[in-house]
Amino acid sequence: GAVVSQHPSRVICKSGTSVKIECRSLDFQATTMFWYRQFPKKSLMLMATSNEGSKATYEQGVEKDKFLINHASLTLSTLTVTSAHPEDSSFYICSARRLSGQETQYFGPGTRLLVL
Amino acid sequence: EDQVTQSPEALRLQEGESSSLNCSYTVSGLRGLFWYRQDPGKGPEFLFTLYSAGEEKEKERLKATLTKKESFLHITAPKPEDSATYLCAVRGNKLVFGAGTILRVKS
């Protein structure tokens, strides 16, 4: 299989606090992980590409100081939303690509963030 | 810029009524076309990867086909549990998703 987990599945926080979301590939190693954001009834928008051991590559318009990404190992990437505001409320989804070089991305179950 | 357009936006079928979903795309240097299924409040579930025109993949009631300009997801004799949003994505420099087709299958 190709199982990707995310934690937490749901988080509510106060405005101004930081929130960390973990993404793990459970049964395979992934040199590359991706972070997406999805608004209600919209499709997924790529935020950043995370490579193990190097800095993440952010898409145009995504603030790298606000969305901190760390890819510390071949099975773990984290997204930290710093100084969260209500407009950061969204569904955040990660994906992982196998070491073998195949193009298929396997997605996690998503994290629902609500900033009050 | 790479683009993906899915149609229809929404589709209602009776159980057993076969149909097709369309995914039209423009991409510079196709490195793969992907179909995913997404249930409400969940992440996308991988269905198929297609790499070249003429390729076909099948899984249970689903069959995906690919040409140089579009892909079809054929659903044969759908069941209510096939109800979901079906997403198409193409990989050029990055993975670009279409808006999806919301499928509802009524018993």
Side-chain angles (χ1 to χ4, degrees), chain B residues 1-3 25-31 90-94:
Chain B
E1 187 177 324
D2 299 344
Q3 284 193 318
Y25 65 92
T26 54
V27 64
S28 51
L30 179 68
R31 295 166 65 177
V90 294
R91 172 89 159 99
N93 291 324
K94 62 182 181 183

Side-chain angles (χ1 to χ4, degrees), chain A:
Chain A
V3 181
V4 177
S5 70
Q6 277 183 247
H7 178 80
S9 59
R10 192 181 289 257
V11 58
I12 300 173
C13 68
K14 292 183 179 180
S15 188
T17 61
S18 294
V19 175
K20 181 186 281 189
I21 303 170
E22 289 188 352
C23 175
R24 293 181 185 272
S25 56
L26 298 184
D27 54 359
F28 66 100
Q29 291 184 320
T31 49
T32 308
M33 289 183 169
F34 304 85
W35 287 95
Y36 292 83
R37 187 172 177 175
Q38 188 174 32
F39 293 100
K41 299 191 177 181
K42 298 288 185 183
S43 196
L44 284 78
M45 296 296 294
L46 179 65
M47 298 174 64
T49 300
S50 164
N51 290 294
E52 188 263 338
S54 63
K55 289 185 178 180
T57 303
Y58 290 82
E59 294 300 303
Q60 195 170 12
V62 177
E63 298 176 59
K64 59 180 68 176
D65 293 331
K66 176 149 194 73
F67 299 100
L68 300 179
I69 292 171
N70 182 271
H71 192 158
S73 75
L74 289 173
T75 59
L76 173 64
S77 177
T78 61
L79 168 69
T80 302
V81 183
T82 62
S83 187
H85 288 94
E87 57 265 30
D88 298 324
S89 298
S90 193
F91 192 49
Y92 293 88
I93 312 174
C94 73
S95 71
R97 203 165 63 193
R98 289 178 184 274
L99 265 179
S100 62
Q102 292 180 354
E103 293 292 345
T104 302
Q105 293 181 25
Y106 299 92
F107 285 82
T111 296
R112 176 76 59 192
L113 171 63
L114 178 60
V115 185
L116 302 176

Side-chain angles (χ1 to χ4, degrees), chain B residues 24-43:
Chain B
S24 299
Y25 65 92
T26 54
V27 64
S28 51
L30 179 68
R31 295 166 65 177
L33 183 141
F34 309 87
W35 283 99
Y36 292 88
R37 168 192 171 131
Q38 187 175 27
D39 292 299
K42 302 286 178 67

Side-chain angles (χ1 to χ4, degrees), chain B residues 12-93:
Chain B
R12 288 176 179 261
L13 298 174
Q14 285 294 126
E15 184 172 2
E17 180 187 2
S18 302
S19 189
S20 296
L21 313 182
N22 177 265
C23 171
S24 299
Y25 65 92
T26 54
V27 64
S28 51
L30 179 68
R31 295 166 65 177
L33 183 141
F34 309 87
W35 283 99
Y36 292 88
R37 168 192 171 131
Q38 187 175 27
D39 292 299
K42 302 286 178 67
E45 175 189 343
F46 171 71
L47 294 174
F48 303 109
T49 303
L50 301 167
Y51 288 104
S52 56
E55 193 175 354
E56 298 183 353
K57 294 270 180 76
E58 274 189 81
K59 179 181 175 182
E60 296 179 356
R61 295 179 292 281
L62 300 176
K63 179 180 176 180
T65 62
L66 180 65
T67 71
K68 288 185 178 180
K69 294 182 179 180
E70 58 191 350
S71 176
F72 289 94
L73 184 66
H74 306 278
I75 302 178
T76 302
K79 298 182 178 182
E81 53 261 42
D82 294 323
S83 298
T85 296
Y86 289 85
L87 299 171
C88 171
V90 294
R91 172 89 159 99
N93 291 324

